[in-house]
Amino acid sequence: MFSHVKDLQFEAKPDGPDAAFARRLQEVLGGKWGEMTVANQYLFQGWNCRLPGKYKDLLLDVGTEEMGHVEMIVTMITRLLDNAPLSLTEGIAEDPGGAATYAGENPAHFIHGGGGALPTDSNGVPWNGAFITASGNLLADFQLNVTAEAQGRLQVARLFHMTDDPGVKQMLRFLLARDTMHQNMWLAAIEQLKEDGLEEMPVPEAFPDSGELTAEYSYTYLGFSSGTDAAQGRWASGPSPDGKGEFRYDDNPRANAPEPVLPPGDPRLYGTNPGVAGSVVNTVKSKLT
């Protein structure tokens, strides 16, 4: 059950309108790594979670908070669109630089949204539910959540340098601070899963090893680049992070199976079958007649 508190988690009020920046801010609302994505991702992970208690609460708590961030950014975008010029003539009449403001606007903000935010990214591409992942495996999902928060914080940090508005910057500072917490929170949750004995690397930990292929393939780095620079990395030698193997470096990857030769396809599908094209055509014709 959800309830809506009318107050915002943090102030979302610019010092002045800026329709061009409103368009850019759409990225952290409806982009792949925006607040709509993380809010829905965490909520679906929580709703699907089969472990009652702290993990389910964690997911639903942070998902609910992210919905509040959606509202904050929508509010900020809507306020940034106030008094925006609706025509080039209007823009020039009110401000010598109005032509640039008009050119930087997203027309869909006014045509589709009536002067409000939209569920799209900064290019106007609609938000897509395919952006979210809720696999049912908490370790896999928590690791993706770390990435989502890192990408989101990265984009907010970039947006911070694209505006001079003090009010906008203050809201962005708040979002950066919460993204710091969320990155650390998911990392802590990963460690907690391991401590509780619920999941380990590699995911899924419950799947048995790959039999006789484990020794040769599970911990071997294959160097396909010229030179051996990658051999200097932590991933090429020493114990693996899962504690179950030793990395080794192979700078001469080899094919382990011959070139595949496929049989002719079903003639009714009219594929091109090298070397048997004539006979296929005759077969098809005979069946048709």
Side-chain angles (χ1 to χ4, degrees):
M1 183 178 69
F2 282 83
S3 62
H4 177 248
V5 177
K6 294 182 179 180
D7 296 334
L8 296 178
Q9 188 182 17
F10 194 82
E11 184 61 273
K13 183 182 292 184
D15 284 29
D18 186 344
F21 187 75
R23 178 177 187 173
R24 298 186 180 204
L25 194 58
Q26 281 282 161
E27 191 63 38
V28 292
L29 173 63
K32 179 179 180 180
W33 302 109
E35 299 288 358
M36 290 181 63
T37 295
V38 291
N40 282 283
Q41 179 158 297
Y42 304 158
L43 289 174
F44 270 89
Q45 289 175 4
W47 291 326
N48 290 340
C49 181
R50 297 177 184 272
L51 287 176
K54 61 187 177 185
Y55 292 110
K56 193 176 187 76
D57 283 0
L58 167 66
L59 288 160
L60 295 177
D61 284 346
V62 70
T64 302
E65 179 186 0
E66 298 290 10
M67 278 296 181
H69 296 176
V70 170
E71 184 176 14
M72 287 168 51
I73 295 176
V74 167
T75 301
M76 180 64 82
I77 289 173
T78 301
R79 286 171 167 170
L80 286 166
L81 294 171
D82 285 347
N83 303 312
L86 299 184
S87 69
L88 180 58
T89 302
E90 181 179 323
I92 294 173
E94 295 181 359
D95 178 8
T101 300
Y102 178 74
E105 295 174 356
N106 178 0
H109 274 150
F110 309 99
I111 299 170
H112 299 165
L118 298 167
T120 69
D121 67 11
S122 54
N123 286 319
V125 179
W127 182 81
N128 193 321
F131 293 158
I132 73 171
T133 297
S135 72
N137 183 291
L138 293 183
L139 185 53
D141 286 350
F142 288 176
Q143 291 185 101
L144 179 61
N145 295 350
V146 175
T147 298
E149 293 290 346
Q151 292 291 340
R153 192 172 194 273
L154 179 63
Q155 292 184 354
V156 172
R158 289 169 173 167
L159 284 165
F160 187 86
H161 298 291
M162 298 180 188
T163 179
D164 295 321
D165 188 295
V168 174
K169 281 183 174 289
Q170 193 66 357
M171 185 195 75
L172 296 180
R173 288 188 183 97
F174 172 80
L175 294 175
L176 289 163
R178 293 308 296 160
D179 285 347
T180 299
M181 169 58 191
H182 292 166
Q183 286 186 46
N184 282 288
M185 177 189 70
W186 293 124
L187 289 169
I190 289 169
E191 294 307 312
Q192 183 80 82
L193 276 174
K194 296 177 181 179
E195 291 170 8
D196 289 346
L198 293 172
E199 195 68 51
E200 280 286 350
M201 288 290 289
V203 175
E205 189 264 344
F207 188 83
D209 65 25
S210 303
E212 72 280 3
L213 301 180
T214 298
E216 184 173 358
Y217 295 108
S218 289
Y219 300 99
T220 301
Y221 181 92
L222 300 178
F224 288 98
S225 300
S226 59
T228 58
D229 289 349
Q232 302 171 26
R234 170 66 181 81
W235 51 82
S237 64
S240 59
D242 64 11
K244 300 175 183 178
E246 288 279 330
F247 285 133
R248 71 184 186 89
Y249 180 83
D250 183 353
D251 63 353
N252 186 31
R254 295 159 301 283
N256 294 290
E259 176 186 359
V261 178
L262 303 179
D266 189 320
R268 294 169 296 177
L269 300 180
Y270 305 103
T272 302
N273 296 297
V276 295
S279 62
V280 170
V281 171
N282 292 332
T283 300
V284 174
K285 286 181 177 179
S286 66
K287 289 187 175 183
L288 290 175
T289 58

